[in-house]
Structure formats: structure tokens, C-alpha cells
Amino acid sequence: MQHPAVSVIMPVLNEERHLRHAVEAILQQEYAGEMEVVVALGPSADRTDEIAAQLVAEDPRVTTVPNPTGRTPAALNAAIKASKHPIVVRVDGHGMLSANYIATAVRLLEETGAQNVGGLMFAEGENDWEHAVAAAMTSKIGVGNAAFHTGGEAQPAETVYLGVFRREALEQQGGYNEEFIRAQDWELNFRIREAGGLIWFSPELKVSYRPRPSVKALAKQYKDYGRWRHVVARYHEGSINLRYLAPPTAVCAIAAGTVVGALLTPWGFVIPGGYLAAIAAGSVPAGKGLPAKARLQIPVALATMHMSWGWGFLTSPRALAKKVIASRRPAVLKQA
């Protein structure tokens, strides 16, 4: 097997809790090829920059580039431009690569001819709430049939978590569209597929992911997901499917049922009551093996995810799509 040189790119903002562990998981990869790590630093309000500077001093393979906007797609493009190797691996500041992640991804790129390969977003918590969110994020009642959340057979995919790219695919597409504050992965992978490229999912690839630490943070995350997924749907006609319409449909149905129940007939409460019963029942298998306190919080996590995603989708301003459409895609990303 050939071992092409690899550039790992990391968009980072307020990641003092996980950054060191994430970078160490990269540097300890079981991979025989040359490797560099480029960390794009946003304007953090914690010790992220200090930790990044320590990592640079400790290992010459680690470098940093500034990302004054703090936006993820701008950070990714800055890191791509500053990197130099033919394989580009995206890792987030709170993602922990499994030991053979890069070696496996490089092999899969060769075997499949794909432009981008990715695997499981393996959510793992560190306390009861995070365990509950992790269970919700890896259950079909929480995220539908998204393979990178719930697993499945290796196969072509619409999108994958993070991704390991051939550099030429990124350069052909001009990198990430920096107007997409969220959903930039899905949007880039859509363009790669439209150009005839293959996106490949494999359960052999696994990245440990740390869930948001509070209900408020989880709600914001999923509201943004829904908001920007609607922008993608407006920007790329035909890119929506029924799975993405389920949360906004649920929000509308529950709101209508609650109004009808309050103003006209108690039968209206059947809809919100049925939803609550469904997520309570679905949380039982999802919480298998977890402590009781974590299991009791899974319905809260599920409802937060569903309702926030649906509300974000429904309230996504049309002006966002107009701004994206009016924007110019990034110039072709030349190597540093």
C-alpha cells in the first residue's frame, strides 16, 4: 500500500477542553506516511490559543493559521490553503480519531476511487446529560437513517461526517462556500457529487464526538442545523428529502394539536401526547446500559433536537439563501 502525505486541517474556536486530546489523537495515528496538522484559530475567549501554541512548540508537524471571522468554512479554507499534501483530512477540535483512522481512509480512497470518504460520528458523553445526548444522536428515533450517526454498510452516500478528501476535489470545487456558517459539509459534498465525484461512507472509520454540554447549547446547535439545511435546499434545488422534512412537520403538527386542544377539543392533545409517548418509548432501547439519570434525560435530548431542528428549518430567513446565491464561491485553493 502507498502512504501518500496527509494534511490534517482543524477549525478551532473555544476548544480548550478538548483541543490537546484531539491533536494528540492525530499525532499518534498508526500511519506510515508524512503528516502535518494545520490548526485554524478563531477568536477564542478561553485558553485555546495558549494550548495551540504549546502544541506547536512540542511537535514540528503542528502549525497554526489565523481565522479572524471565527466561521468554520473560512477556517477550513484557510487551513487548506496553508497545507501542502495530496490527502486532506478534516478533524474538529472536539473530535477524537480512532487509532487507524487515517490509514483506513487512505486505503478506502484507493479502493473506491472516491473523492471523499468518511465514517461514524461516534458520540460519547462524559456526564449523564452528554450520555443522554449521545444516545439520542446515535438512535434512529433521534436522527433517522443517517448512516454516519447510526451505522450501516459501506456504500455511496450523500454526505459523510468530517471527511478525508483528495486535494484535487477540493481545488476543483474551490473549497467550502464561506457563506454556509452551518451545513457547509453537506453543501460541498453535493457539489462534488454533482461534478461526478463519489462520496463514500464506511463504518470502518470512527471519530469520537463530544456532545454539547447543556440543553441550551444543544438547542442552538440543532436550530442552526435546521436553519442552514433549509438554505442548502433553496440553493441546490432537489437536494431535500423526506427525512429532513420530518422535524418541521412534527413542529407544525404539535403546535396545531396544542392550539386545537386548548381552544376547541381535548382531542387536539392527542398529537403532542402521541409525540411525547413515542420519544419516551424510543428512549428505552436508546438508553440501554446507561445510568438511570442519563436514561431519564434522553426524551429531553430527543425533543430538543427535533423541535430545534424543525423550528430552525421553518424560520430560516429567505435572505440567507439570497445572500448565499449572490456570493461568489471561493477561488480555487492553491497549495501553500
Side-chain angles (χ1 to χ4, degrees):
M1 175 181 169
Q2 298 296 313
H3 297 94
V6 168
S7 297
V8 182
I9 59 171
M10 299 185 71
V12 169
L13 180 69
N14 295 323
E15 289 288 1
E16 68 172 3
R17 182 180 172 193
H18 301 300
L19 179 59
R20 172 167 288 278
H21 297 304
V23 172
E24 288 175 347
I26 297 166
L27 298 176
Q28 294 167 7
Q29 284 289 294
E30 298 171 0
Y31 185 66
E34 183 182 351
M35 181 168 60
E36 66 175 349
V37 181
V38 182
V39 182
L41 294 171
S44 295
D46 59 11
R47 295 179 55 251
T48 295
D49 287 8
E50 178 186 340
I51 295 168
Q54 293 170 358
L55 292 166
V56 170
E58 293 166 7
D59 197 305
R61 293 175 292 176
V62 182
T63 60
T64 62
V65 293
N67 173 35
T69 69
R71 291 185 173 186
T72 298
L76 291 166
N77 283 343
I80 293 168
K81 290 177 182 178
S83 66
K84 58 181 182 291
H85 295 319
I87 305 298
V88 179
V89 182
R90 176 183 171 176
V91 182
D92 284 346
H94 47 272
M96 314 295 163
L97 299 186
S98 52
N100 63 346
Y101 180 89
I102 292 177
T104 302
V106 170
R107 172 176 59 80
L108 290 171
L109 284 172
E110 179 64 25
E111 289 177 354
T112 64
Q115 301 298 304
N116 180 22
V117 299
L120 289 169
M121 179 182 180
F122 192 74
E124 293 182 307
E126 296 180 333
N127 54 47
D128 288 331
W129 166 250
E130 291 180 5
H131 287 314
V133 177
M137 292 180 70
T138 54
S139 67
K140 290 191 175 181
I141 192 172
V143 294
N145 62 351
F148 66 87
H149 281 297
T150 61
E153 296 181 356
Q155 58 187 307
E158 289 185 341
T159 191
V160 290
Y161 180 52
L162 301 179
V164 178
F165 299 84
R166 299 180 189 271
R167 179 178 290 275
E168 61 260 31
L170 294 172
E171 292 183 347
Q172 180 186 27
Q173 294 302 322
Y176 292 84
N177 189 322
E178 295 186 11
E179 293 299 328
F180 281 88
I181 298 175
R182 295 282 188 181
Q184 65 274 157
D185 291 312
W186 206 103
E187 195 274 335
L188 173 59
N189 285 319
F190 183 88
R191 284 189 276 131
I192 291 174
R193 289 188 290 108
E194 286 288 285
L198 174 65
I199 310 298
W200 187 261
F201 165 81
S202 174
E204 292 184 75
L205 298 171
K206 185 173 77 171
V207 181
S208 294
Y209 168 86
R210 298 293 184 260
R212 295 298 192 270
S214 67
V215 173
K216 181 179 179 180
L218 183 68
K220 182 181 186 306
Q221 178 187 19
Y222 271 78
K223 185 190 77 172
D224 287 345
Y225 282 168
R227 185 184 202 193
W228 285 95
R229 187 62 188 82
H230 203 164
V231 176
V232 174
R234 291 174 179 141
Y235 187 59
H236 293 297
E237 190 173 340
S239 66
I240 200 71
N241 60 43
L242 292 177
R243 179 167 70 88
Y244 295 111
L245 296 177
T249 300
V251 170
C252 291
I254 290 169
T258 301
V259 170
V260 169
L263 299 180
L264 298 176
T265 171
W267 285 103
F269 291 119
V270 168
I271 296 175
Y275 171 76
L276 292 175
I279 62 172
S283 69
V284 174
K288 186 177 180 180
L290 292 180
K293 288 183 179 180
R295 293 199 303 270
L296 290 172
Q297 295 181 80
I298 293 175
V300 178
L302 288 170
T304 301
M305 291 160 55
H306 295 161
M307 297 299 103
S308 299
W309 203 103
W311 180 251
F313 189 93
L314 290 169
T315 59
S316 178
R318 287 191 171 273
L320 284 178
K322 291 177 181 177
K323 182 178 180 181
V324 168
I325 291 169
S327 72
R328 297 165 64 183
R329 289 180 180 172
V332 173
L333 299 172
K334 295 298 183 182
Q335 294 182 13

